[in-house]
C-alpha cells in the first residue's frame, strides 16, 4: 500500500488498490461544505473504529473538502481495505491561471482515486454544463481517477414526466464520447434534485425504475455487458432507515450520501447495508 508520505503513485499501485472492472457496490459519503477539520477527524475516527468489513466488490468512499483530502486519505487507507477518498470536484482545465481552483493532476499527485463530477449543486450554483463535465471526466480518466458522475432531474421535470429524457441527455452529452473500455470504469450516481437534502427520498420503485432505465440507455449505446459493469448509486436523502431497502433493488449499487454521512451511526449502518 502507498504510505501516507508517499503521495506520488504509479498506475500499478492504482490497479492494485482495486479499481476493477467488476460491478462495485459503493457507500459514498459526500460531506459537502460541512465540518471543521477537527470535526472531520472525529467523525472519521468514529466511523473507522466500527471497522465495517468491505467485501472485495464493496467500496466505502469519503468525498471530503479539498483541505481534508490528505488527512482523510491517511486515516482511511492505512488499514482499511476498499476504503477510499474522493474529491468533491475538480477543474475542467489541466492547469493554468485559475486562481482558487484544483486540477485533476493535483488530485492524482496526492493519490486520490475518486472524484465526484457534476453534482447538481455544482451544476446549479457554479453553472457547470454537460460539456464542461465531459472535460472533467476525460481528465479524471487520464489520471486513473474514477469519476462519480452525477445526474438527476429537478422537480419540475419529474412533475412533467420527462425525467428519463432529461437524465439520458445528461449522460449522452457528458459521457457518450467515451469508448466502452473507459465508460465501464465509471461510477454513475442518480440523484433526483427534489430528493437532495429535502428528506424526501425517491421510493424504492422510482429509484429502481430510473436505474434500470439508465442501464438500458448505457446498454443501447455500449451493449449490455458494458452496462452491467457500471455501478449506479442512488443519492437523495439516503439514511440508515431506507438504505437497506433501496440497496436491495437489483440496479441500485449503493448510495451517495449527504446529510446522513455526517452522523457516524447513520453512515456505518449505510455501509453495512451494501449488498
Ligand atoms: P442528501 O445529499 O443525502 O443530504 O440528500 C445527497 C447528495 O447531494 O449527494
Amino acid at each position: 500500500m502507498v504510505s501516507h508520505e508517499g503521495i506520488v503513485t504509479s498506475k500499478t499501485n492504482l490497479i492494485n488498490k482495486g479499481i476493477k472492472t467488476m460491478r462495485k457496490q459503493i457507500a459514498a459519503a459526500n460531506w459537502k461544505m460541512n465540518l471543521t477539520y477537527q470535526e472531520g477527524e472525529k467523525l472519521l475516527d468514529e466511523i473507522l473504529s466500527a471497522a465495517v468489513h468491505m467485501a472485495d466488490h464493496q467500496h466505502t468512499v469519503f468525498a471530503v473538502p479539498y483541505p481534508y483530502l490528505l488527512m482523510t486519505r491517511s486515516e482511511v487507507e492505512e488499514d482499511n481495505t476498499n476504503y477510499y477518498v474522493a474529491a468533491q470536484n475538480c477543474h475542467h482545465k489541466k492547469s493554468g491561471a485559475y486562481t482558487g481552483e484544483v486540477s485533476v493532476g493535483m488530485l492524482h499527485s496526492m493519490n486520490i482515486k475518486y472524484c465526484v463530477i457534476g453534482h447538481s449543486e455544482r451544476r446549479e450554483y457554479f453553472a457547470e454544463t454537460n460539456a464542461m463535465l465531459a472535460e472533467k471526466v476525460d481528465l479524471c480518466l487520464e489520471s486513473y481517477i474514477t469519476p462519480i458522475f452525477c445526474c438527476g432531474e429537478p422537480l419540475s421535470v419529474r412533475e412533467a414526466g420527462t425525467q428519463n429524457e432529461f437524465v439520458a441527455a445528461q449522460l449522452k452529452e457528458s459521457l457518450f464520447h467515451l469508448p466502452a473500455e473507459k465508460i465501464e470504469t465509471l461510477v454513475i450516481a442518480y440523484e433526483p434534485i427534489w430528493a437532495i437534502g429535502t428528506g424526501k427520498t425517491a421510493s424504492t420503485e422510482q429509484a429502481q425504475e430510473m436505474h434500470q432505465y439508465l442501464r438500458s440507455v448505457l446498454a443501447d449505446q455500449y451493449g449490455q455487458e458494458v452496462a452491467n459493469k457500471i455501478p449506479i448509486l442512488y443519492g437523495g436523502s439516503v439514511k440508515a432507515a431506507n438504505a437497506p431497502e433501496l440497496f436491495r433493488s437489483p440496479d441500485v449499487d449503493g448510495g451517495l450520501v449527504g446529510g446522513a454521512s455526517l452522523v457516524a451511526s447513520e453512515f456505518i449502518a449505510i455501509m453495512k447495508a451494501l449488498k
Side-chain angles (χ1 to χ4, degrees), residues 28-30 32 116 119-121 150 191-192 195-200 234-239 256-261:
N30 179 10
K32 307 190 180 184
V116 179
H119 191 280
S120 60
E121 287 150 17
C150 301
E191 299 205 302
I196 295 177
T198 57
K200 201 173 158 192
Y234 168 77
S237 300
V238 175
K239 44 185 182 279
L256 180 56
V257 187
S261 76

